[in-house]
Every structure is written in C-alpha cells, then in structure tokens.
Amino acid sequence: MSIAEFHRPTTEAKLDTETIDVITAIEAEVVTPETVDHARIIWSRPDTRLWAANYGGYYGGTVDLQGTHYFVSDTFGQYVGDYRTIEEAKAALVERLARVLPTISRPAS
C-alpha cells in the first residue's frame, strides 16, 4: 500500500523598501477611522450549526460550530480562528472584514 504525498508549492514575494513605503502611504490615506464607514453585517442561518455573514451585500464568511468550538472563515475562505462562544466568533469575523474589505461602505439611509 502506498501513501500519496501532497506538496504545496511555496511562493515567496519580495518587496523592496520603496514599494512597502508606497503601500503603507496609500493605506494610511485611504483607511483611517475617520474615512471608513463599515458596512452593516446581516447574519443568516443556512444550517443549524452554521452562520453566514452578508457584508454590505457581499458574502462575508461563515461561523461553523464544530463540537464545542466555533470556526471562522472570512469572505476569501481564509481561516480566521476558532472561538468558544458565538459572540466571540462573530466579533472576530466582523473585525477581519473591516480590515480586509474597508472600502465597502454602508448604504445611505
């Protein structure tokens, strides 16, 4: 019997100091507490142990209850963390979305 081995290719990106400075300057101009008006999150329950976030009209990610822990994945399917309460899990996803999707703004009321 043989066991298949899976190897993920590793990708390394190298940025020079000037590029990092430019990116930092852009982020500092665009993403400030004064200019960001975060979108409202609407939660739905597609299954009994699953919560899905709608972030400003877009898929925001999920909170999935596995055993006694709540596992959180963001809008890109990236693992955010696991938490002991649904409140902690939802708050972690809200924080992640505010960081990775800061330009989505709340609809005007």
Side-chain angles (χ1 to χ4, degrees):
M1 178 166 92
S2 66
I3 297 175
E5 290 187 35
F6 295 98
H7 297 282
R8 291 185 176 182
T10 57
T11 304
E12 188 174 317
K14 294 183 181 183
L15 298 175
D16 58 79
T17 306
E18 183 179 347
T19 303
I20 293 171
D21 289 342
V22 169
I23 292 169
T24 304
I26 291 169
E27 287 178 348
E29 278 182 32
V30 177
V31 183
T32 63
E34 297 80 31
T35 60
V36 175
D37 188 16
H38 299 295
R40 184 170 160 218
I41 293 188
I42 299 170
W43 293 96
S44 62
R45 294 279 306 266
D47 201 356
T48 56
R49 300 170 65 90
L50 183 68
W51 292 259
N54 179 307
Y55 185 72
Y58 297 92
Y59 169 73
T62 60
V63 175
D64 185 15
L65 177 59
Q66 295 291 325
T68 60
H69 288 266
Y70 295 87
F71 290 88
V72 179
S73 298
D74 69 12
T75 187
F76 304 108
Q78 296 294 311
Y79 173 76
V80 174
D82 69 280
Y83 303 89
R84 293 194 179 271
T85 68
I86 186 66
E87 293 80 15
E88 291 174 332
K90 285 181 174 181
L93 184 54
V94 168
E95 183 181 324
R96 170 67 67 93
L97 293 173
R99 254 192 350 261
V100 299
L101 299 173
T103 58
I104 296 177
S105 61
R106 189 178 341 175
S109 5

